[in-house]
Amino acid sequence: PFMRAIMEAQFPAPGRTITVKTFLPGSGTEVMELCRPSDSRLEHVNFECLFSCLSLRLLLRVFSSLLLERRVIFTADKLSTLSQCCHAMVALLYPFVWQHTYIPVLPSAMLDIVCTPTPFMVGLLSSSLPQLTELPLEEFAVKAVQFLAFCVLLALLLMCYNFHFSDPGHLSTVVSEAFVRFFVELVDGYSSSSSSPVPCSFQREGFRKAIPSKSVRRFLEVFMETQMFGWFIEERELHRQALRGLFELRVQEYLDSIRENEHRRVNRFLKGLGNKMKFLSKK
């Protein structure tokens, strides 16, 4: 009865709630309210589970592994924990999209997939670990990555991580916004040129050299070779005027804030110059 009521109900718009009534013999009528998240990126995502399972340091290492398209294996005792953590990590990549093998819960019969030399992200129940150790594995991502500790991201995450959120939805929004801001600042050079109405091809070397941080430039040398980055650039060059998602909104807000700060600095300079001129004219 519950599934029938769900199928007959109209699918809610983002942020809207539907009421579902079901009648069960012996239990009577049950009324449930189901709310769809206002942001489709956060549907079926539980960041609370991810933050409780991984330390901040390990979370950053896994995140950097995925950005560089390494091979990542998640292990957990419970199916729910495994799938929630995998989905949450994929959600943190927005606006980039994982382009390779992704299996949140890998059946033991398909365990040999982890022997492939191509990038993958899989979840594995802890009961399968003895079988995993018998396979001819190359060193996989979580142990292999030794860099990508960007101060901006770390500061934002620490801010989110040290606060207590009673509402999991609020936590999801804040964490997601922190990672979106990281990507906005990371691709700032491309974002500035892509806002131009005149179509132009992406200039890789110019983009990389425009980054002032030497460590970020080293990271970008590798990141720009990934399929995720290639897909990101291709989408924006093909649909330059059509893309109007959350990321594009945050980019515009970021660029506006930069222009506003530059305008304030110019005004302060002119005001200071004017005061000096007045002082000199009095002399």
Side-chain angles (χ1 to χ4, degrees):
F2 173 74
M3 294 303 297
R4 190 182 303 115
I6 289 290
M7 291 174 63
E8 293 174 354
Q10 185 177 2
F11 192 69
R16 296 301 180 90
T17 301
I18 60 170
T19 301
V20 178
K21 296 181 180 180
T22 59
F23 177 79
L24 297 176
S27 301
T29 301
E30 183 178 5
V31 179
M32 295 183 65
E33 287 190 348
L34 305 176
C35 181
R36 183 181 176 190
S38 56
D39 190 342
S40 60
R41 293 175 305 114
L42 304 180
E43 290 183 340
H44 315 298
V45 177
N46 184 346
F47 288 115
E48 190 175 17
C49 180
L50 182 65
F51 273 69
S52 64
C53 292
L54 297 181
S55 66
L56 185 62
R57 183 180 181 85
L58 184 56
L59 178 68
L60 287 172
R61 292 180 68 188
V62 175
F63 178 65
S64 65
S65 301
L66 294 177
L67 285 184
L68 300 178
E69 295 183 338
R70 308 299 194 196
R71 296 180 291 278
V72 180
I73 300 175
F74 283 85
T75 63
D77 295 329
K78 297 180 180 178
L79 282 172
S80 58
T81 302
L82 202 56
S83 60
Q84 286 175 7
C85 286
C86 288
H87 287 318
M89 284 304 306
V90 169
L92 291 180
L93 295 175
Y94 173 86
F96 296 90
V97 178
W98 181 251
Q99 301 290 310
H100 302 278
T101 301
Y102 171 52
I103 308 175
V105 181
L106 181 67
S108 56
M110 300 173 61
L111 198 57
D112 56 354
I113 283 179
V114 301
C115 298
T116 59
T118 56
F120 60 74
M121 178 183 177
V122 300
L124 196 64
L125 285 173
S126 301
S127 57
S128 298
L129 284 178
Q131 297 172 257
L132 183 68
T133 57
E134 297 175 0
L135 296 174
L137 281 176
E138 297 181 21
E139 186 177 14
F140 52 88
V142 173
K143 293 184 179 179
V145 172
Q146 298 176 350
F147 60 98
L148 184 61
F150 293 130
C151 295
V152 172
L153 173 61
L154 187 57
L156 288 168
L157 287 178
L158 284 172
M159 178 187 71
C160 300
Y161 191 67
N162 289 332
F163 287 134
H164 173 70
F165 292 98
S166 57
D167 179 11
H170 189 197
L171 172 65
S172 296
T173 301
V174 173
V175 171
S176 177
E177 287 287 346
F179 278 88
V180 169
R181 179 56 184 260
F182 161 72
F183 283 122
V184 166
E185 297 199 15
L186 181 66
V187 297
D188 171 36
Y190 175 73
S191 302
S192 302
S193 60
S194 66
S195 61
S196 171
V198 181
C200 58
S201 59
F202 177 62
Q203 304 296 323
R204 288 175 175 266
E205 193 58 23
F207 167 68
R208 188 186 66 83
K209 288 183 176 179
I211 303 296
S213 170
K214 188 178 294 184
S215 61
V216 176
R217 287 201 303 271
R218 285 199 300 266
F219 165 74
L220 283 173
E221 287 177 2
V222 184
F223 184 50
M224 286 192 297
E225 298 302 320
T226 64
Q227 289 189 29
M228 275 194 300
F229 189 84
W231 175 87
F232 174 83
I233 296 298
E234 184 179 342
E235 282 291 296
R236 273 143 188 82
E237 290 186 342
L238 288 176
H239 310 288
R240 182 176 296 270
Q241 301 301 324
L243 291 171
R244 291 293 183 271
L246 177 76
F247 180 72
E248 286 70 36
L249 176 64
R250 294 292 179 264
V251 165
Q252 190 58 53
E253 291 173 352
Y254 178 68
L255 295 176
D256 289 343
S257 68
I258 292 177
R259 295 189 189 102
E260 185 177 349
N261 290 334
E262 290 177 348
H263 182 67
R264 288 175 179 174
R265 284 197 294 268
V266 170
N267 284 343
R268 284 198 297 268
F269 172 76
L270 293 175
K271 184 177 180 181
L273 185 61
N275 291 336
K276 288 181 180 178
M277 295 297 289
K278 288 180 182 179
F279 177 75
L280 291 173
S281 62
K282 288 180 180 179
K283 277 193 170 184

